[in-house]
Amino acid sequence: MIDRALRSSKIRPRSVGRRLLRSSLLEALAYPHGVDRYVELVRPLLLARDVRAEVTAVHHQTPKSVTLTLRPNENWRGFRAGQFVGVSVEVDGVRLTRPYSPAGREQSADGALELTVSTHPEGRVSRHLRDHARPGLVVDLTQAQGEFMLPSPRPQRVLLISGGSGITPVMAMLRTLCQEGFTGEIGFLNYARSPTLALYDDELATLALRHEGLRVARGFTRARRSELPGRFGREHLAAVIPDHAGAATFVCGPPALIDSVRAVWAQDGLPEPAVETFTAPVLRFDTDRAEGRVSFTASGRQVANSGLPLLEQAEDAGLAPEHGCRMGICNTCSTRKRTGSVRNVISGGVSSAGEEQIRICVSVPVGDVELDL
Ligand code: FES
């Protein structure tokens, strides 16, 4: 019925149409699927609440990456340089979500979003996007998330350090600062395995020529020749910033790079730099001492608590909860907990016993738990 109404009406995506899509009457008519599930049959980008984006350009900077330009729909609320978004695509009939940091500046003139996705052997989403993304492809997005971002007001001195695909959030920071006409000092240390795999190489060189306060140095960890020798070390800092103490520092890359930077900062008695990494965290759970029962109230199933994260317990019980990253980042697995306490397997924190949304991929029950699944 809703499908027919939309097809026959002159409703435009903006103003009246969008208010109509958000009305509680239409939402009630569309129950239980929700308005967006009907609207997407007609216009994939015209949705009441969900964020979607259409790929408008595809570019391969390196053999192991793809750079996508996206046009988000009107539900997109923008991002702060450094934040990430969850990107969902269907791969072999399964909807998968992964976090990627936009690499463009905060305020692009046309509202476009740039994502550079680097592939790795187990990366089903990244390989799918590299091999199959074409202009016209529509992907689901989450709103931007994360505390790793440029502060406002801007600091006077900024140090950016990135390794591999970790360049994307700091590239967004650098482009944003350059666009704003930042007059302070910016140091940028970037590491890649080889020149062939180095992202944004030409643009970094151009920006360094144009912006007086910007100094860039690159290290190739598996190449014979490299501007910076070997992996990150204290001695590399002098190539881009005379005095790193007091510079607002942002580090994104593999854990080994982050640990090395943290070690230098700790030796110097400096506050921790801001860090971001998208490698899977270490999940701590104990299956030997698990007790209680897990009740899945919507499906009426019950299992003895095995001590595993609730997403796995639900799957073991024959359920198929929606999920993406399985590491507590994308929020796709967010589920209503009715009763009972859970422990976060990354932070170790225990929740209250009341009703709340929890990310079931990183939550283990502490005794009896009821979940709305
Ligand atoms: S699946 Fe991404 S937060 Fe749980």
Side-chain angles (χ1 to χ4, degrees), residues 79-83 102 104-106 148-151 154 169-174 176-177 250:
F79 74 104
R80 299 269 304 274
Q83 288 190 301
R105 59 183 196 253
E106 281 180 10
F148 184 78
M149 57 189 170
L150 272 182
R154 307 302 190 209
V170 292
M171 197 68 204
M173 292 178 177
L174 178 63
T176 299
L177 290 171
F250 301 87

Side-chain angles (χ1 to χ4, degrees), residues 49 51 72-80 143-144:
R49 292 181 178 81
V51 184
N73 67 7
E74 291 187 359
N75 299 327
W76 169 246
R77 295 200 291 263
F79 74 104
R80 299 269 304 274
Q143 296 291 355

Side-chain angles (χ1 to χ4, degrees), residues 164-220:
S165 59
I167 193 172
T168 52
V170 292
M171 197 68 204
M173 292 178 177
L174 178 63
R175 283 167 153 176
T176 299
L177 290 171
C178 290
Q179 170 68 19
E180 291 173 353
F182 182 74
T183 53
E185 193 181 348
I186 312 173
F188 193 156
L189 283 179
N190 176 252
Y191 298 87
R193 288 186 178 179
S194 68
T196 319
L197 298 179
L199 293 163
Y200 296 105
D201 210 17
D202 293 345
E203 185 173 345
L204 284 177
T206 307
L207 288 174
L209 286 176
R210 282 194 195 146
H211 294 270
E212 208 181 314
L214 170 63
R215 280 197 255 174
V216 177
R218 309 204 75 165
F220 301 119

Side-chain angles (χ1 to χ4, degrees), residues 97 311 322-334 359-362:
T97 306
L311 174 58
E322 207 170 317
H323 65 273
C325 64
R326 302 185 84 106
M327 53 173 134
I329 292 176
C330 69
N331 218 34
T332 314
C333 66
S334 177
R359 285 168 296 161
I360 57 174
C361 66
V362 289

